């Protein structure tokens, strides 16, 4: 069993903890948090040993009636690998801790690509992370783009990618974010950081991305254009995507018109937290005009990187190859079944 | 003085009435409405003769204390031109009325292009409407795309246009429209109707468009990609656009991050209803990557077609050429000053 420490138990960390626990070859050694809140309560309720990410704050947990197993350094020392799911920029600050205890670490997409040995998407470059010490699981949007681009590159060749990312303003729990009733170019300057970030996965890819923010919390929506190296029928792309376990093709007969119904479908299906780990590609939207492919895909910002973190654990620990890991993760979570 | 009848006094009609009244060479002969409401009240208050668009409903206006000047047929008969600003599809039903009285007519972008002799955008194809009997002023989004594309075609040549239109779900007064907290592919199928609609202005243009709807009411936002026939510096595009009176380049120093601040700026400037008649192009967003141009532009759905309707009146009545009409309209409204 791979002993996994999870440093940061917020939106991503708590989902990774549950996903790791569901795997047949991993266990959650403990989770670390900076302060007591409803998530810390839940961690205790779920039986995850809770560590204080900041030792001086152990008192705060005690005052809240939450038992602390110890300081985060103990957890890091005992683990085979750490998943750092702290807010952007904190992962970089934590790197020296992981190095001190010689524990390999995963970081999230908010960290700089230069921090790590390689950036990671299971479908696209699993092999690059094998036996690496510091690996960055790319952001939700970069993950979503990479999953769609990888099979297209292999099957048809990609000349250029142009994508407009219409991003949710904040997650449902992020009550101080906006916009309200507005559509913001964000960033106003072009390209957005997403294009260069996808190039950390495919270093020879030509991609331009534009970002916006809108008053929605449920999912991002991508308007994706891929100029292929050959003219392809839309049906060929649909067939290609249907074979990809982490691309969910929304069939027309489901009458799912947006993120709201998608989430409702996931909740009806009994998925934890209504998570949508796959890219949600509207099958009807897949269209080709000559060599230009177009489609819409919904990206669940809170969860699509979760299976990627699980696979990255296996890559870094050298415990499975890409195909075996992806299949194990999918089966354990219920992806593509 | 060109005697103008306005049939339909809602979002577009009321704005066109005010804009026509502001012109030195036109007068509003009257406006027609189907039922009494706050807009009918305002028409009376502004001194516009109010006609009943449906003769049988004259009683309803009387009951609301609103004086009716007569049935709409009288207005059409007496006018030099009718601006039909009725809801989509009603303009087509009204065409026979205008033909009966041999009064040329303008229709709005919701009507089918096949209904009319030509579709119209002042900057792009003014001449096509000269002395035509039935002319369609294209929709807000098509107007916005055409204004940006016309100068690019002339200056650099356009190989292909790809645009994602992130559309406001409804106008501020449309209280039963959605979405709330969602990002909808709309239509899910690609291309959206906007691309073919732009081709009614430029019949040899290669353009693919994708549409979405989001929880915002103030403006549409376009993510625009134009593959030019030659590589161009972004600065050249900015200089080109700066000379276009109906493209407003938002300078960085204004700190306008979205539709909300744009509208606030327009209201602070004393513009009627806070209208933004120009395309609002974020100057910082204008970027080129080889032959690919990218930019963001905000399109005020309630008002950008208003100056176009005014210019179409002059085209149809043969009373001015494009340059003279656009200049007169701009000066009367305060565009580009």
């Amino acid at each position: 069993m791979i002993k996994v420490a999870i440093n940061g138990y917020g939106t991503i960390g708590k989902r990774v903890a549950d996903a790791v626990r569901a795997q047949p070859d991993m266990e959650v050694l403990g989770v670390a948090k900076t302060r007591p809140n409803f998530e810390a309560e839940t961690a205790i309720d779920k039986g995850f040993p809770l560590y204080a990410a900041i030792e001086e704050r152990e008192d705060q947990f005690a005052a809240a009636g939450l038992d602390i197993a110890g300081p985060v350094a103990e957890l890091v020392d005992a683990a085979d690998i750490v998943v750092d799911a702290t807010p952007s920029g904190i992962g970089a600050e934590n790197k020296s801790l992981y190095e001190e205890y010689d524990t390999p670490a995963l970081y999230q997409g908010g960290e700089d690509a230069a921090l790590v040995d390689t950036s990671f998407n299971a479908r696209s470059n699993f092999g690059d992370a094998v036996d690496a010490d510091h690996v960055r699981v790319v952001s939700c949007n970069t993950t979503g783009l990479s999953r769609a681009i990888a099979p297209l590159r292999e099957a048809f060749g990609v000349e250029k990618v142009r994508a407009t990312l219409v991003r949710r303003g904040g997650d449902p729990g992020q009550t101080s974010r906006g916009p309200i009733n507005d559509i913001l170019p964000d960033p106003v300057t072009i390209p957005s950081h997403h294009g260069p970030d996808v190039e950390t996965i495919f270093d020879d890819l030509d991609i331009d991305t534009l970002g916006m923010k809108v008053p929605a919390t449920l999912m991002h929506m991508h308007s994706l254009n891929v100029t292929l190296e050959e003219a392809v029928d839309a049906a060929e792309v649909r067939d290609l995507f249907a074979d990809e376990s982490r691309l969910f093709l929304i069939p027309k007969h489901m009458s799912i018109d947006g993120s709201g119904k998608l989430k409702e479908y996931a909740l009806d299906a009994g998925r934890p937290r209504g998570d949508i780990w796959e890219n949600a590609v509207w099958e009807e939207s897949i269209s080709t005009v000559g060599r230009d492919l177009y489609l819409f895909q919904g990206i669940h910002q809170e969860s699509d990187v979760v299976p990627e973190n699980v696979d990255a654990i296996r890559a870094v620990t050298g415990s499975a190859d890409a195909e075996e890991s992806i299949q194990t993760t999918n089966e354990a979570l219920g992806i593509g079944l």
Side-chain angles (χ1 to χ4, degrees), chain A:
Chain A
M1 299 287 273
I2 305 166
K3 294 195 286 285
V4 181
I6 295 164
N7 191 10
Y9 192 77
T11 302
I12 300 301
K14 65 190 180 185
R15 287 174 165 86
V16 170
D18 288 349
V20 165
R21 175 178 271 182
Q23 305 304 312
D25 54 344
M26 300 178 188
E27 63 176 316
V28 178
L29 204 60
V31 304
K33 215 166 159 32
T34 52
R35 58 177 64 83
N37 70 351
F38 74 95
E39 286 161 331
E41 292 265 354
T42 310
I44 296 279
D45 291 347
K46 289 189 178 216
F48 292 129
L50 182 63
Y51 289 78
I54 301 173
E55 198 167 347
E56 298 71 30
R57 291 199 189 156
E58 284 194 25
D59 290 353
Q60 291 185 20
F61 288 90
L66 300 175
D67 286 336
I68 286 293
V72 68
E74 269 180 29
L75 176 62
V76 170
D77 189 25
D80 295 323
I81 185 169
V82 183
V83 179
D84 186 296
T86 59
S88 297
I90 308 296
E93 295 178 14
N94 291 337
K95 186 178 182 184
S96 59
L97 173 70
Y98 310 143
E99 287 178 326
E100 185 181 339
Y101 292 96
D102 204 20
T103 306
L106 306 183
Y107 305 85
Q108 304 306 310
E111 302 303 326
D112 199 281
L115 181 74
V116 296
D117 306 323
T118 183
S119 294
F120 179 85
N121 171 254
R123 173 65 179 79
S124 310
N125 72 337
F126 187 100
D128 293 350
V130 172
D131 295 328
D133 288 324
H134 301 277
V135 170
R136 185 180 73 115
V137 177
V138 291
S139 73
C140 51
N141 281 310
T142 303
T143 295
L145 290 168
S146 298
R147 286 175 178 169
I149 291 166
L152 293 171
R153 275 166 62 98
E154 293 164 10
F156 313 119
V158 167
E159 181 179 300
K160 178 148 195 169
V161 178
R162 299 171 184 87
T164 298
L165 314 184
V166 181
R167 294 149 56 213
R168 99 296 181 228
D171 295 340
Q174 293 177 310
T175 47
S176 64
R177 292 178 64 152
I180 295 169
N181 193 25
D182 211 330
I183 307 169
L184 306 182
D186 185 63
V188 170
T189 51
I190 297 167
S192 70
H193 72 275
H194 306 92
D197 204 37
V198 174
E199 289 166 352
T200 67
I201 300 296
F202 309 104
D203 58 11
D204 59 342
L205 185 71
D206 186 4
I207 177 169
D208 296 325
T209 55
L210 296 86
M212 297 191 199
K213 277 204 308 195
V214 301
T217 64
L218 302 178
M219 293 175 78
H220 302 299
M221 189 72 70
H222 293 179
S223 162
L224 182 63
N225 164 235
V226 181
T227 305
L228 301 167
E229 287 181 353
E230 53 181 289
V232 173
D233 279 349
E236 289 180 76
V237 177
R238 284 192 288 269
D239 289 347
L240 178 74
F241 279 7
D243 286 339
E244 293 287 321
S245 64
R246 292 182 188 169
L247 300 182
F248 169 55
L249 294 188
I250 306 169
K252 182 178 181 179
H253 69 80
M254 277 196 175
S255 299
I256 289 175
D257 64 350
S259 312
K261 288 204 185 73
L262 260 176
K263 289 283 291 176
E264 192 163 343
Y265 172 56
L267 286 161
D268 284 353
R271 284 197 171 193
R273 301 181 176 89
D275 282 349
I276 300 165
W277 301 293
E278 308 90 339
N279 294 19
V281 180
W282 272 267
E283 188 170 355
E284 280 176 282
S285 76
I286 298 172
S287 308
T288 53
V289 180
R291 294 191 293 120
D292 272 318
L293 164 70
Y294 297 93
L295 61 83
F296 290 115
Q297 63 179 4
I299 300 297
H300 187 212
Q301 74 279 0
E302 297 169 294
S303 74
D304 81 329
V305 301
V306 171
E308 307 296 329
N309 273 274
V310 172
D311 291 325
I313 290 169
R314 291 201 190 88
V316 167
T317 57
S319 61
D321 64 17
E323 190 181 355
E324 187 185 344
S325 176
I326 290 173
Q327 190 177 332
T328 304
T329 305
N330 289 353
E331 283 176 10
L333 294 180
I335 293 177
L337 299 181

